[in-house]
Amino acid sequence: MGHKEDLLEGAKRCLLEKGYGRTTARDIVAASGTNLASIGYHYRSKDALLQQAFLALTEEWGQEVIVAIEGSDEPEADPYRRFRELCSLLVGTAGVSRPIWKLQTEVVTRLDDDETLREAIKGPQRQGRLDLAEGMLGIDPEAEPEKARTAGLLLQALTAGVMLQWLADPETAPSVDDLVAGLKTVMGE
């Protein structure tokens, strides 16, 4: 790898270990084995490098989720069984995904003060919704764009809510059974 790739990998490690706000240029240089000048040469600034590293991490995590979805059985026809499968995947990855969820939560808190970061994540967030709808529910975004968009919005909201509960208090965070029972209650069953 060259300095550019080394910097990106070092920045990704720093983000997961230290977080967005506590990562310094010197941390990145130490983690990557490069030098300070390389950051400016390849990425213009530490902030631009951190944005790129954050986007790369979330994309890699998204790809891991897609691989897990593709490895599961075909979606069940029964909506509650399908919902249970989705929740099993989400809750089942809570422990492993904690560092990336923690980072995502920190980044969200920075968006009001960082318009560049806000703009950088808009496209990936919108694409993520469509990927969730397609991967988890089998809805083709090209064939049914509005259905994919609204289903993706719901899945993204569910994912974020479950994520926050697992970050705040894993002992009382929702189980798969809790989520299915909650859905049945909301649906009036």
Side-chain angles (χ1 to χ4, degrees):
M1 284 195 304
H3 277 210
K4 185 174 184 176
E5 294 83 12
D6 292 340
L7 285 166
L8 185 63
E9 291 303 313
K12 289 178 354 188
R13 281 193 304 279
C14 288
L15 285 173
L16 292 173
E17 292 169 11
K18 299 182 77 108
Y20 203 95
R22 291 185 16 230
T23 295
T24 67
R26 293 192 187 283
D27 293 330
I28 297 168
V29 167
S32 65
T34 62
N35 58 62
L36 284 172
S38 293
I39 294 174
Y41 178 77
H42 291 291
Y43 292 96
R44 297 180 327 276
S45 69
K46 177 196 82 161
D47 289 338
L49 171 55
L50 288 178
Q51 287 172 13
Q52 190 68 34
F54 172 72
L55 293 173
L57 280 168
T58 56
E59 183 178 333
E60 290 166 9
W61 177 71
Q63 290 302 314
E64 289 175 17
V65 170
I66 289 169
V67 167
I69 292 167
E70 290 172 348
S72 67
D73 296 333
E74 286 294 314
E76 292 286 336
D78 173 35
Y80 291 114
R81 282 190 65 143
R82 184 170 53 232
F83 185 75
R84 178 176 291 282
E85 284 183 7
L86 301 177
C87 292
S88 294
L89 178 64
L90 181 61
V91 170
T93 63
V96 181
S97 299
R98 188 174 181 83
I100 193 75
W101 286 0
K102 185 177 171 186
L103 176 62
Q104 288 175 336
T105 303
E106 180 189 356
V107 167
V108 167
T109 66
R110 303 176 70 82
L111 295 179
D112 281 346
D113 300 320
D114 191 336
E115 186 62 32
T116 305
L117 181 58
R118 176 191 296 272
E119 288 301 316
I121 68 169
K122 281 183 180 180
Q125 181 178 7
R126 291 173 183 162
Q127 184 61 48
R129 291 176 190 145
L130 299 177
D131 292 345
L132 283 170
E134 185 171 25
M136 293 185 160
L137 300 175
I139 301 170
D140 182 353
E142 290 185 20
E144 300 178 278
E146 185 59 15
K147 187 174 181 181
R149 185 188 73 80
T150 58
L153 285 167
L154 178 64
L155 290 171
Q156 205 170 47
L158 175 68
T159 302
V162 171
M163 172 186 73
L164 289 174
Q165 291 180 65
W166 274 90
L167 284 173
D169 186 3
E171 292 175 14
T172 63
S175 69
V176 173
D177 290 336
D178 293 333
L179 293 167
V180 173
L183 177 63
K184 287 181 177 180
T185 300
V186 168
M187 298 303 292
E189 292 185 27

